[in-house]
Amino acid sequence: MTVVHSAVGSVEPVIVVHGGAGTVSPELREAAPAGAKKAAELGQRVLLDGGSCEDAVIAAIRSMEDDPTFNAGRGSCMTRDGEFEVDAALMRSIDLRAGAIAGVKNLRDGILVAQKVMNETRHCLLAGDAAEAFARAHGVGSFGRDEVWTEKAQRRFDDATAGKTARDNRADTVGAVALDRHGHMASGGSTGGVLLKLPGRVGDTPMIGSGLYAHPQLGASAATGVGEAIMTYVMSYEVLRRARDGELQAHAEALCAEVQRATRAAVGLICVSPDGEIGIAHGSQHMSWAHARGDSPVAFGLTWPPAAD
Ligand code: GLY
């Protein structure tokens, strides 16, 4: 089902995006917030034109999947075997529908396949070769090693396997949450997962409640960082549950700090409440982010709170 709105709503729309919690390498410290800003601007344009939160999230995530700066789509990191296996998911508050894919090889635009799962099946999550077959049958998805391979990913793989760099646990997933003029919310994420992951390993990104959540009374959220930590704390649902009476930002900060302290893993969250409150937090050195409310200029940065000039 595609949700179609007939009347112009009256809620001030909001978009929030992230480009991943972790340590951003020095050569990408300008490109990461700039890429997040571009993604938020695209999502904001959709919302201001009267588009749905679902379409705004898709626009923002597609932009970051195409940007080699990020570990998603083109730019995804490699498994231990030098392959690409991507995860992605989308969820909307209006009917609690969600769609996700896991462990799909050489896929550039996982968020579009996740949307197809949500809108064209009665399931939430399709995995592996069967998810690829589903995508091909529905004429969606750009497949091929050339669609996802980048010099950056090859260099990281070569350095990590040669022992030149630590087998770091960077998991710079991309994500977005949006509130549209009708007061509906959506969240989404897309990722290549963690560098040198075992073939078949699936992270939090396609796990409803862990990597993302969207609920009409609670809000929408998306997580980033090391999936194993995020899943055990069910972070995306948990932050909204804790903030059901307000103080979304404070709860996002407290949950990220708690998980990072307990697991030593980099984690981050972006959220929006039904009344438009924003939450952005991370327990990591960096997390590129961007947000916009109404037609205000997009704010963006590499850490939260934003570094003082
Ligand atoms: N958060 C992305 C992953 O762990 O796969």
Side-chain angles (χ1 to χ4, degrees):
M1 177 185 80
T2 298
V3 175
V4 178
H5 300 298
S6 55
V8 176
S10 56
V11 174
E12 185 173 51
V14 172
I15 177 97
V16 189
V17 313
H18 72 75
T23 300
V24 176
S25 43
E27 67 274 17
L28 296 178
R29 286 181 193 168
E30 279 188 22
K37 175 175 182 267
K38 180 181 172 197
E41 285 170 346
L42 290 166
Q44 180 187 38
R45 178 44 48 209
V46 171
L47 294 169
L48 291 176
D49 287 347
S52 71
C53 50
E54 180 181 329
D55 288 341
V57 164
I58 297 270
I61 290 180
R62 280 295 301 120
S63 172
M64 292 189 282
E65 286 179 331
D66 279 348
D67 184 338
T69 305
F70 301 110
N71 173 16
R74 182 167 162 257
S76 290
C77 67
M78 296 182 191
T79 68
R80 185 195 62 181
D81 293 353
E83 305 278 357
F84 297 96
E85 294 181 3
V86 309
D87 303 333
L90 183 67
M91 183 169 186
R92 64 187 177 213
S93 66
I94 186 172
D95 53 4
L96 289 184
R97 285 287 296 149
I101 52 143
V104 180
K105 291 206 166 76
N106 300 324
L107 173 60
R108 180 166 173 153
D109 41 10
I111 194 69
L112 295 182
V113 184
Q115 186 185 31
K116 274 284 182 225
V117 173
M118 181 172 83
N119 287 329
E120 305 291 341
T121 80
R122 57 193 169 86
H123 306 301
C124 278
L125 172 62
L126 297 181
D129 292 346
E132 177 175 344
F134 166 84
R136 290 187 186 280
H138 284 78
V140 67
S142 300
F143 289 93
R145 193 170 169 87
D146 290 351
E147 295 284 347
V148 289
W149 185 92
T150 56
E151 280 181 18
K152 174 199 78 174
Q154 189 67 55
R155 198 171 52 246
R156 280 189 182 175
F157 175 81
D158 291 344
D159 288 351
T161 49
K164 280 197 221 158
T165 54
R167 288 171 153 248
D168 69 10
N169 56 12
R170 273 183 282 198
D172 29 354
T173 311
V174 305
V177 299
L179 169 71
D180 66 27
R181 287 188 186 280
H182 299 271
H184 303 310
M185 292 157 287
S187 59
S190 181
T191 188
V194 292
L195 180 63
L196 301 188
K197 66 186 179 182
L198 288 176
R201 177 266 187 191
V202 174
D204 62 293
T205 304
M207 300 298 172
I208 311 309
S210 291
L212 76 171
Y213 202 65
H215 184 282
Q217 278 83 49
L218 297 178
S221 56
T224 167
V226 178
E228 286 70 12
I230 295 165
M231 285 189 276
T232 49
Y233 283 78
V234 200
M235 283 184 73
S236 289
Y237 178 73
E238 179 63 7
V239 70
L240 299 180
R241 187 190 68 78
R242 291 185 186 187
R244 62 196 177 281
D245 295 323
E247 301 195 27
L248 186 56
Q249 178 63 34
H251 284 294
E253 286 176 11
L255 182 57
C256 286
E258 181 185 329
V259 177
Q260 205 250 345
R261 208 168 34 244
T263 64
R264 303 272 158 222
V267 292
L269 283 167
I270 55 170
C271 335
V272 64
S273 72
D275 56 8
E277 187 188 349
I278 285 172
I280 300 177
H282 59 109
S284 58
Q285 190 177 359
H286 302 122
M287 184 181 81
S288 55
W289 58 270
H291 70 75
R293 182 183 301 283
D295 61 0
S296 308
V298 170
F300 62 103
L302 185 61
T303 58
W304 187 274
D309 288 333

